[in-house]
Amino acid sequence: MEQFLDTFLNPVVLAKYTPAILQGTMVTVILSVLIVLCGIGLGAGLACIRAYRVRLISFVIVIFADVLRALPPLVVILLMFFGLPNVGILLSASVVLFIVLTLVLAAFAEEIVWAGITATPKGQWEAARSTGLTFTQTLFHVVLPQAMRMVIPPLTNRAIAITKMTALGMVIGVPDILGQATTAQSFSANASPLTLAAIAYVVLFLPFVIASRWLESRFASPGA
Amino acid sequence: MEQIIQQFFNVEIMIKALPLVIKGLGITLLICAVVIPMGAIGGLFAAIGSLSPNRAVRWLSIGFVDLFRAIPPLVLLIFIYAGLPFAGLSLSPFVAVTIGFFLNNSAYFAEIFRAGLLSVPRGQTEAARSTGLSQAQTLTYVTLPQATRNVLPDLLSNVVEVVKLTSLASVVSLGEMLHAAGLVRSLTYNASPLILAAGIYLLLLWPLVRVIARFERRIAS
Amino acid sequence: MTTPAPGTATLEVRALHKSFGALKVLEGIDLSVQRSEMVFVLGPSGSGKSTMLRCCNRLEEPDSGDILIEGDPLTGPGVDLNKMRQRVGMVFQSFNLYPHLSAMGNVTLALRRVQKKSKAEAEDLAIAALAEVGLSDRAGHHPAQLSGGQQQRVAIARALALKPTVMLFDEPTSALDPELVGDVLDVMRTVKDHGMTMLVVSHEMKFARDAADRVIFMADGAIVEQGPPEQIFGAPTHDRTRAFLSRFHG
């Protein structure tokens, strides 16, 4: 037991590296917030554009969403981080991580919001159009508010899954929680920083996981 | 333009990388073949547990699921692969990957099966029990088949997620496809091997993504 | 808006044709509704009466024919459809209230976004409209908190608040429990008494007999016969009408 604590919760190591992990936590939090805001915003925007059913534009959006949902994010991250400098584009590791995860979340959010838009009853469109609202007004004032409400649970789940992927930044040297912890672990030759990292992620994400469970039960249709 | 083709779509380098990448693809598929069934079975048990009338079983199952939904799989993997050796427990990359992905993946499968089981009307269970079927029989023959059908798109999309997840194994130097492609990239300073790997992932997963989209549309209508 | 020339119908439908693929649904409908008239449209299901109604604000696009509101065309090039739709109120079978908005929000949305009224002005108009349907005390309720009959009355207020020239009712009581039908019909009668021009598709025979100025019987995409309710219900001249009505008298 003592050896276990010494290895995984060593007080000396913990004291020394907690500040670094806290710094990493800030990086993770900031990246996560930015990714969620930009990713869901972009995805919802694309779903709205798709609602106008301009064939070519819709086709491009579907291809974008399909490709980013089919590719492992780590592949795209490595591709951008190692490939772009060769053609003269230099981006920092954090920016690459932000761009890739934002695009991935946007791809999923587009599909989810689009499903919500198509699931909104036809009568809602008809009622709004019959009072003289334009297509755009109907989309933004009548359909989108209902669609977003419908898709809050799947969107929350997806946002959690993708913000957790900020941990992938460690591979290209982003100083997030995991990045700080692996550095600390190799300096200290002790597993405690990794334990601390795991705890930090649990503290950060568990409330959202629990909230998503609550949302799901609240939004579940009573008839089902 | 010339430069982009040279740096990302260099056929010569892709051909050189191909044997190693294909070998990596074999390992990727092997991980999937082990982790998907394990995760599905683990998830099913966790789902049944999370709906158990026994409070301890219920909370234990929900706790397991929520914990592993909160921890990023890469953190789990590195903890198992790089952390456990400090306690004298050294695991091969493959075993570490299997355990890490099993835990992560069970949690996701559990949530899907749970939603599926909840979607089956209570009357189905009551009808089955009223004809004398046991609880286990009711689950096997009545509830579970309907539950699985109701969440088939989600199960499939989780399979896609697992295939994508295997790319994380590259971090612990398990020679799956991304690791192989990354290796050739670092030797040639050219991103084409990564494009090759990306192309194979697309070839593998795009059809599945399309099938899922079609399923979801049918269920929505 | 100019005052229409005397003798101009409030709603005029001319030679209206509509097909869904190979299926001909409307085969030349001619109909005019005069100011403050309540016209009831009866007919078996599949007779095209709902399609006819939905063409009158172009929720269905007519294949050919003209629709005029006080002489102004609703179809044809250069028509500002959203502006014209302001003059044609519509009440749906399934209410189609916006579930994310309160009764007040449902009524004010088009007032504010289409008629560009200020918030205060829109709310005043909404309260007046909700009062007319007897629901001024329910302004803050969301659709889910209202009974079916109350929801349909809010939907009537939503259409009424825009001060339309004519109102279309598409089976407004068919989705209601029997005990809630009466309230909605009472509101419709009030709306009529205040001078509204109304075109109603419905199976409420008794209400048609009591309240309608004219009854139209449709079958197979055409108007078979029309006249005052006493005549249509008392002495129908056409076999199809007789056959249809006999099923309701039992």
Side-chain angles (χ1 to χ4, degrees):
Chain A
M1 189 61 202
E2 197 166 317
Q3 201 223 327
F4 176 86
L5 284 179
D6 213 45
T7 308
F8 291 102
L9 288 166
N10 187 311
V12 180
V13 177
L14 286 180
K16 188 169 175 198
Y17 290 103
T18 299
I21 304 259
L22 281 179
Q23 256 175 23
T25 307
M26 275 315 288
V27 173
T28 298
V29 168
I30 292 169
L31 272 171
S32 299
V33 170
L34 286 176
I35 289 165
V36 167
L37 291 179
C38 299
I40 291 180
L42 179 60
L46 289 174
C48 287
I49 293 173
R50 201 171 157 194
Y52 289 84
R53 296 183 196 265
V54 180
R55 195 171 282 199
L56 182 68
I57 296 174
S58 295
F59 182 74
V60 172
I61 293 173
V62 171
I63 298 283
F64 161 79
D66 272 13
V67 168
L68 279 157
R69 287 185 304 154
L71 281 180
L74 188 55
V75 175
V76 189
I77 290 169
L78 295 184
L79 204 51
M80 276 188 84
F81 187 72
F82 291 115
L84 289 183
N86 289 354
V87 291
I89 302 169
L90 279 168
L91 299 172
S92 78
S94 302
V95 172
V96 167
L97 185 64
F98 164 74
I99 293 175
V100 172
L101 293 187
T102 297
L103 292 179
V104 171
L105 180 53
F108 280 100
E110 187 278 321
E111 280 303 306
I112 292 171
V113 174
W114 173 245
I117 290 176
T118 52
T120 305
K122 203 169 139 235
Q124 292 292 315
W125 286 97
E126 293 185 344
R129 297 307 300 277
S130 80
T131 60
L133 264 67
T134 63
F135 184 91
T136 306
Q137 285 173 326
T138 306
L139 181 61
F140 285 101
H141 293 294
V142 175
V143 176
L144 201 57
Q146 297 180 51
M148 290 309 283
R149 208 169 279 212
M150 254 189 276
V151 302
I152 282 175
L155 211 50
T156 310
N157 280 338
R158 194 52 79 172
I160 295 170
I162 288 168
T163 45
K164 267 165 49 187
M165 289 181 193
T166 49
L168 298 180
M170 171 273 238
V171 178
I172 53 172
V174 175
D176 70 328
I177 298 175
L178 185 58
Q180 296 281 14
T182 47
T183 312
Q185 174 240 316
S186 57
F187 277 126
S188 64
N190 184 285
S192 302
L194 292 177
T195 313
L196 198 55
I199 292 170
Y201 279 107
V202 170
V203 169
L204 223 51
F205 285 103
L206 194 58
F208 290 100
V209 170
I210 292 170
S212 80
R213 183 183 293 291
W214 177 78
L215 278 173
E216 220 147 296
S217 63
R218 218 201 116 184
F219 279 73
S221 49
Chain B
M1 192 66 213
E2 181 83 8
Q3 205 190 2
I4 290 176
I5 292 176
Q6 184 62 31
Q7 290 300 333
F8 289 95
F9 300 95
N10 190 319
V11 178
E12 217 172 301
I13 290 180
M14 283 192 191
I15 291 173
K16 243 185 245 166
L18 194 61
L20 206 56
V21 170
I22 293 290
K23 207 174 143 220
L25 173 63
I27 297 178
T28 294
L29 294 177
L30 180 66
I31 303 172
C32 292
V34 174
V35 170
I36 292 171
M38 274 175 62
I41 293 168
L44 183 58
F45 278 101
I48 294 168
S50 76
L51 296 169
S52 161
N54 182 319
R55 186 183 285 218
V57 173
R58 195 166 68 233
W59 286 111
L60 219 61
S61 306
I62 292 177
F64 167 84
V65 171
D66 284 0
L67 181 68
F68 289 108
R69 276 174 73 205
I71 297 180
L74 185 58
V75 176
L76 198 57
L77 181 56
I78 290 180
F79 189 86
I80 293 169
Y81 181 71
L84 291 186
F86 289 108
L89 189 59
S90 271
L91 300 171
S92 76
F94 190 83
V95 174
V97 163
T98 307
I99 295 173
F101 290 180
F102 164 73
L103 292 173
N104 173 265
N105 204 17
S106 304
Y108 279 93
F109 270 120
E111 273 306 277
I112 296 168
F113 277 121
R114 181 184 151 89
L117 288 170
L118 285 171
S119 75
V120 179
R122 183 184 284 273
Q124 292 292 314
T125 310
E126 289 172 354
R129 297 306 295 275
S130 76
T131 61
L133 265 64
S134 72
Q135 203 174 341
Q137 286 171 322
T138 303
L139 189 70
T140 315
Y141 300 113
V142 180
T143 357
L144 200 54
Q146 299 183 56
T148 309
R149 246 167 93 120
N150 291 350
V151 293
L152 204 55
D154 293 325
L155 288 172
L156 270 179
S157 91
N158 200 45
V159 167
V160 171
E161 291 305 311
V162 179
V163 180
K164 287 156 64 180
L165 190 68
T166 57
S167 64
L168 267 55
S170 64
V171 178
V172 296
S173 307
L174 181 58
E176 51 65 71
M177 188 156 65
L178 181 58
H179 187 256
L183 200 64
V184 182
R185 184 212 62 82
S186 64
L187 294 174
T188 57
Y189 291 102
N190 186 296
S192 305
L194 291 175
I195 291 282
L196 178 65
I200 296 175
Y201 279 117
L202 277 185
L203 223 57
L204 219 57
L205 296 180
W206 200 335
L208 265 176
V209 167
R210 279 287 98 215
V211 168
I212 294 163
R214 186 153 304 179
F215 260 123
E216 278 170 345
R217 210 166 309 142
R218 193 181 316 160
I219 284 176
S221 63
Chain C
M1 253 180 267
T2 51
T3 323
T8 309
T10 300
L11 169 68
E12 174 125 25
V13 177
R14 288 185 199 146
L16 181 64
H17 286 80
K18 173 73 184 173
S19 305
F20 292 118
L23 182 71
K24 288 183 180 167
V25 185
L26 297 177
E27 301 194 67
I29 301 284
D30 293 287
L31 167 71
S32 60
V33 182
Q34 304 304 319
R35 174 180 287 273
S36 299
E37 195 183 14
M38 182 198 258
V39 175
F40 236 82
V41 185
L42 300 179
S45 65
S47 59
K49 50 195 195 304
S50 269
T51 306
M52 194 258 300
L53 199 73
R54 289 162 60 84
C55 281
C56 289
N57 65 355
R58 283 176 63 192
L59 283 179
E60 297 295 350
E61 203 58 54
D63 295 340
S64 66
D66 295 312
I67 292 155
L68 303 131
I69 309 297
E70 292 182 322
D72 298 330
L74 189 76
T75 49
V79 168
D80 183 345
L81 183 58
N82 293 322
K83 204 171 160 196
M84 287 304 289
R85 276 177 169 160
Q86 298 287 293
R87 295 162 70 178
V88 188
M90 177 106 178
V91 176
F92 299 85
Q93 178 177 356
S94 49
F95 329 141
N96 296 346
L97 286 186
Y98 313 132
H100 61 300
L101 299 177
S102 65
M104 174 69 88
N106 268 276
V107 181
T108 52
L109 183 63
L111 286 169
R112 298 201 58 200
R113 302 294 164 183
V114 186
Q115 297 193 345
K116 309 286 180 197
K117 301 236 191 292
S118 72
K119 188 164 188 276
E121 201 181 344
E123 286 183 353
D124 286 347
L125 287 166
I127 286 177
L130 286 169
E132 179 144 5
V133 301
L135 288 174
S136 38
D137 57 331
R138 294 286 191 276
H141 287 56
H142 278 67
Q145 300 166 307
L146 299 170
S147 74
Q150 290 172 332
Q151 289 189 47
Q152 189 61 298
R153 283 150 66 196
V154 172
I156 292 172
R158 175 172 69 183
L160 207 54
L162 297 168
K163 305 245 183 297
T165 313
V166 53
M167 282 179 75
L168 311 172
F169 290 80
D170 189 6
E171 309 212 13
T173 55
S174 304
L176 293 175
D177 291 334
E179 73 272 19
L180 301 174
V181 169
D183 288 346
V184 171
L185 295 181
D186 288 345
V187 167
M188 286 172 68
R189 184 179 303 252
T190 310
V191 172
K192 174 187 156 54
D193 291 344
H194 289 182
M196 180 57 69
T197 310
M198 300 161 83
L199 185 59
V200 182
V201 170
S202 168
H203 292 293
E204 299 294 338
M205 299 293 176
K206 187 173 177 306
F207 183 64
R209 193 193 287 259
D210 294 346
D213 297 301
R214 181 154 49 113
V215 174
I216 288 176
F217 179 73
M218 272 181 78
D220 299 332
I223 293 176
V224 175
E225 84 174 284
Q226 56 179 305
E230 314 80 69
Q231 181 196 319
I232 298 293
F233 291 112
T237 54
H238 213 279
D239 289 346
R240 303 269 327 239
T241 320
R242 267 197 290 273
F244 177 76
L245 290 174
S246 69
R247 273 185 287 132
F248 282 90
H249 295 309

